[in-house]
Amino acid sequence: MTEIYEAIKRSAARIKDAIAFDDTGYSENINSTGDTQLKLDIKSDLIIEEEFAKVACIKEIVSEEKEGKTPLHVEGIYSIGYDPLDGSSLIDVNLSVGSIFGIYEGGFAGANLKAAVYVVYGPRVELVIAHENVTLYRLNQKGEFVFIKEITLGVKGNLNAPGATQMGWEPRHKAMIDAIFADGYRLRYSGGMVPDLHQILLKGGGLFSYPATSDVPKGKLRMIFEVFPFAFVYEKAGGAAINGKTRLLDLTPSHPHDTTPCFFGSQTEIERVKQCYAK
Ligand code: FDP
């Protein structure tokens, strides 16, 4: 596992430089989700693939930017699902973006996740590893990731990050979000899953939601590359992650790009979601 973390650290340092200095424009390619790829999406994906190709314990990888799996080492044991540059639509307005990695053993299912890692490219570059616990690292001037602290979530937070097109929310979802704000929660939503979930984690708790809506009935966020890794992080930090009713890590996608409605938060807020969606 350490070799995988080291490959992710090398990738993160290279992607940080690409974000800072490369062309932020679009390419002519469209990815499997139908999004036009930025040149930076493609470059970040190539960087990660290059770094993972050096690690013998990785059997296969699947990227948000590619349709299928890429085999790496026949003797490898781990399968990695990753989103090389999540939230890349925020690049042109210079907001924070991230990379997300789920490290699976025995196929791409929530139950097979062994560790999760994400990187936030903000004013500083931070990296979070969730394995037995959740730890935060920060990139220093020498290009090293230095341990900062262990991350744990409070039982109840005070931030609310409600995603998706509000026009398409179900009435019960709207009622729940309104009630949460009426209880004094503060709005925090940048439109980048990585910085938005990172903020809730570091500020002690709250709720991030990306529900089913009339325009995206199965949600927008992808299980293998986005949802399972963050569900793992939140659970290991003492919080919880569900699709409304079911624990996210109990789900199994039938296709690498399958999506699901998702809710990540502290125990109190997730209990509230369960009560809302039980109706
Ligand atoms: P993006 O499309 O910019 O890549 O991964 C999808 C994502 O960003 C998440 O990072 C983010 O939380 C979400 O989409 C935002 O979607 P909405 O604009 O629909 O809220």
Side-chain angles (χ1 to χ4, degrees):
M1 205 61 98
T2 312
E3 283 178 73
I4 297 176
Y5 299 153
E6 290 308 312
I8 293 174
K9 289 175 186 173
R10 290 194 300 274
S11 306
R14 292 175 63 189
I15 293 171
K16 165 194 87 85
D17 286 342
I19 293 170
F21 305 115
D22 280 20
D23 181 354
T24 58
Y26 283 95
S27 71
E28 283 171 4
N29 302 352
I30 296 193
N31 70 13
S32 38
T33 318
D35 304 324
T36 307
Q37 290 174 303
L38 290 178
K39 291 177 191 164
L40 277 171
D41 285 321
I42 298 170
K43 181 156 181 181
S44 306
D45 190 25
L46 282 174
I47 289 173
I48 292 168
E49 188 170 334
E50 252 175 55
E51 294 297 345
F52 280 165
K54 299 175 192 165
V55 182
C57 65
I58 304 177
K59 183 174 146 204
E60 58 185 355
I61 54 177
V62 59
S63 164
E64 197 258 332
E65 297 301 333
K66 293 206 186 78
E67 176 59 30
K69 299 174 193 170
T70 305
L72 285 186
H73 303 283
V74 270
E75 304 295 321
I77 44 175
Y78 297 112
S79 303
I80 303 186
Y82 66 96
D83 186 348
L85 204 57
D86 186 81
S88 57
S89 62
L90 300 173
I91 287 275
D92 58 352
V93 289
N94 202 19
L95 284 176
S96 299
V97 292
S99 302
I100 313 169
F101 304 85
I103 303 164
Y104 300 82
E105 189 177 344
F108 293 104
N112 293 340
L113 203 51
K114 293 290 172 265
V117 181
Y118 69 84
V119 183
V120 193
Y121 309 98
R124 300 178 189 209
V125 179
E126 294 191 331
L127 178 137
V128 170
I129 297 179
H131 189 211
E132 295 305 330
N133 56 1
V134 184
T135 43
L136 172 68
Y137 299 82
R138 190 175 294 145
L139 191 64
N140 69 10
Q141 309 91 307
K142 296 183 202 152
E144 302 154 344
F145 280 93
V146 179
F147 172 79
I148 304 292
K149 63 174 180 178
E150 188 174 330
I151 301 175
T152 51
L153 272 168
V155 177
K156 178 182 179 306
N158 61 3
L159 301 184
N160 190 19
T165 313
Q166 298 190 14
M167 234 172 62
W169 286 357
E170 288 180 50
R172 62 180 172 176
H173 183 78
K174 183 178 177 346
M176 177 187 75
I177 296 294
D178 287 348
I180 289 174
F181 281 128
D183 282 348
Y185 282 74
R186 298 169 71 85
L187 172 66
R188 291 291 182 272
Y189 193 77
S190 74
M193 179 184 197
V194 176
D196 287 338
L197 282 164
H198 189 57
Q199 178 166 204
I200 291 172
L201 272 172
L202 290 182
K203 301 275 189 195
L207 179 67
F208 174 100
S209 46
Y210 206 106
T213 60
S214 49
D215 52 338
V216 283
K218 292 188 174 166
K220 174 185 182 188
L221 301 177
R222 285 143 287 214
M223 293 189 216
I224 291 178
F225 324 108
E226 296 168 312
V227 172
F228 291 159
F230 270 109
F232 192 88
V233 172
Y234 267 63
E235 285 195 0
K236 291 290 178 190
I242 61 172
N243 69 357
K245 293 190 164 110
T246 306
R247 183 174 169 251
L248 290 166
L249 291 175
D250 287 337
L251 303 177
T252 302
S254 44
H255 181 275
H257 291 266
D258 278 356
T259 60
T260 176
C262 52
F263 301 83
F264 307 87
S266 318
Q267 296 290 346
T268 306
E269 289 79 15
I270 294 298
E271 202 41 55
R272 214 164 166 159
V273 175
K274 275 188 195 154
Q275 281 168 19
C276 161
Y277 278 84
K279 288 174 204 158

